[in-house]
Amino acid sequence: MDILQKFSLQGKVALVTGASYGIGFAIASAYAAAGATIVFNDIRQELVDRGLAAYREAGIDAHGYVCDVTDEAAVQALVATIEREVGVIDILVNNAGIIKRIPMCEMTAEQFRQVVDVDLNAPFIVSKAVIPSMIRKGHGKIINICSMMSELGRETVSAYAAAKGGLKMLTRNICSEYGEHNIQCNGIGPGYIETPQTAPLRERQPDGSRHPFDQFIVSKTPAARWGTTEDLMGPAVFLASDASDFVNGHILYVDGGILAYIGKQP
Ligand code: NAP
Ligand code: GCO
């Protein structure tokens, strides 16, 4: 047996949401390297154009579409367009996400709803749009990008933690409801990764020293470093490939060990 063939994505169509850059771009790039046809969306044309240029520069002939993943009608139309222009979606990565770092009692209900809308309601909307064709095709892979905050809380991220905790359970429920159709739904829980979303937590201080949160995370991580988007590529290919056909409802934490570690004694 050629065991590496089990990790091939040759002939598969992968949709990665919010993948003009950041984690989504890295995952889509890994899927392309494993043989998949890449489809991505982002919320603005300028982002899609930027993403298409970045994929081209990486030698990837990606298909890019403008779509707000919180808009169910737009998502349904996007999936129909993809199926017409590219093919039935074999792999969905619900990657698009936002965060608002505001103390809970200072956060408005609207701000809370905005985060939950993108980080939890949208994965429901997009998954619901792709599952029927996956059932007809006889297989499918759905990967939800969860978070440390699917397991832990911290100050100022109440909406994000609530959404990512819910996304963990949505992952398990899709597994439960559609596993009999050979659809595997798993999550990836990245640790603290160097992307634009976490840039504010890593900014150099006026005196040139590292951000206190930066130092905190490095001390809390057994790997003693922030993660990079490249650290997520292998786990993402595994969960999208035949190699994980009997893995379902699992959240694979790619966190350098944070969740296992109580922290160094001061
Ligand atoms: P990012 O750099 O902020 O990228 C998120 C992408 O999603 C952006 O392209 C963003 O577009 C897009 N997006 C936001 N709202 C959207 C919507 N309504 N419709 C379509 N696209 C939308 O984030 P990231 O760090 O790459 O994170 C990607 C995912 O990983 C997120 O779900 C995040 O919660 C999760 N995550 C990140 C980390 C980390 O440490 N970075 C760790 C754990 C989990 P805009 O540019 O317009 O915002
Ligand atoms: C934060 C960070 C985290 C990371 C990630 C950790 O403000 O605590 O943004 O939430 O984005 O989700 O897994």
Side-chain angles (χ1 to χ4, degrees):
M1 171 200 293
D2 174 8
I3 189 65
L4 293 181
Q5 189 55 36
K6 277 192 168 294
F7 293 84
S8 170
L9 303 182
Q10 201 66 43
K12 299 288 175 63
V13 174
L15 168 61
V16 185
T17 65
S20 296
Y21 58 89
I23 288 173
F25 181 85
I27 289 176
S29 300
Y31 286 2
T37 297
I38 300 306
V39 185
F40 75 101
N41 74 293
D42 226 308
I43 197 165
R44 297 190 305 276
Q45 186 63 55
E46 66 192 275
L47 278 173
V48 171
D49 293 342
R50 167 179 156 190
L52 285 169
Y55 284 113
R56 267 195 301 275
E57 191 173 332
I60 300 169
D61 183 19
H63 303 261
Y65 299 89
V66 178
C67 180
D68 177 346
V69 290
T70 66
D71 180 340
E72 184 164 28
V75 167
Q76 294 278 349
L78 170 69
V79 171
T81 300
I82 292 168
E83 290 187 357
R84 191 173 61 249
E85 296 182 355
V86 185
V88 171
I89 294 161
D90 301 289
I91 301 159
L92 166 64
V93 179
N94 285 306
N95 167 78
I98 62 172
I99 191 168
K100 293 184 187 295
R101 299 184 182 95
I102 304 168
M104 193 182 106
C105 292
E106 297 170 26
M107 180 179 269
T108 66
E110 181 50 31
Q111 288 169 322
F112 189 95
R113 287 193 195 96
Q114 285 169 0
V115 174
V116 172
D117 212 15
V118 180
D119 294 1
L120 179 56
N121 295 345
F124 160 77
I125 288 170
V126 186
S127 300
K128 178 184 164 190
V130 305
I131 283 172
S133 291
M134 287 181 172
I135 291 174
R136 285 190 290 271
K137 201 167 184 182
H139 67 253
K141 297 281 188 180
I142 297 174
I143 294 138
N144 293 321
I145 307 301
C146 297
S147 163
M148 292 292 92
M149 277 51 221
S150 297
E151 302 293 343
L152 302 170
R154 85 173 185 87
E155 299 80 4
T156 76
V157 295
S158 59
Y160 185 82
K164 292 297 188 180
L167 185 56
K168 173 174 73 173
M169 288 315 301
L170 177 63
T171 300
R172 291 180 177 160
N173 218 75
I174 293 172
C175 151
S176 306
E177 201 161 352
Y178 296 101
E180 67 178 318
H181 298 286
N182 192 28
I183 292 172
Q184 291 84 47
C185 181
N186 292 287
I188 287 176
Y192 280 84
I193 311 295
E194 293 175 344
T195 73
Q197 190 243 54
T198 55
L201 306 175
R202 291 178 280 110
E203 278 172 356
R204 284 282 172 183
Q205 301 303 283
D207 64 2
S209 64
R210 287 164 55 192
H211 192 295
F213 195 87
D214 175 359
Q215 299 178 61
F216 166 66
I217 287 302
V218 171
S219 71
K220 278 284 286 179
T221 307
R225 66 174 174 87
W226 283 71
T228 66
T229 57
E230 192 170 339
D231 289 320
L232 299 167
M233 288 178 162
V237 168
F238 166 63
L239 289 178
S241 72
D242 295 348
S244 61
D245 280 355
F246 205 55
V247 178
N248 214 346
H250 184 75
I251 311 299
L252 178 54
Y253 287 100
V254 185
D255 67 354
I258 289 184
L259 283 179
Y261 185 36
I262 194 170
K264 199 182 295 298
Q265 181 180 348

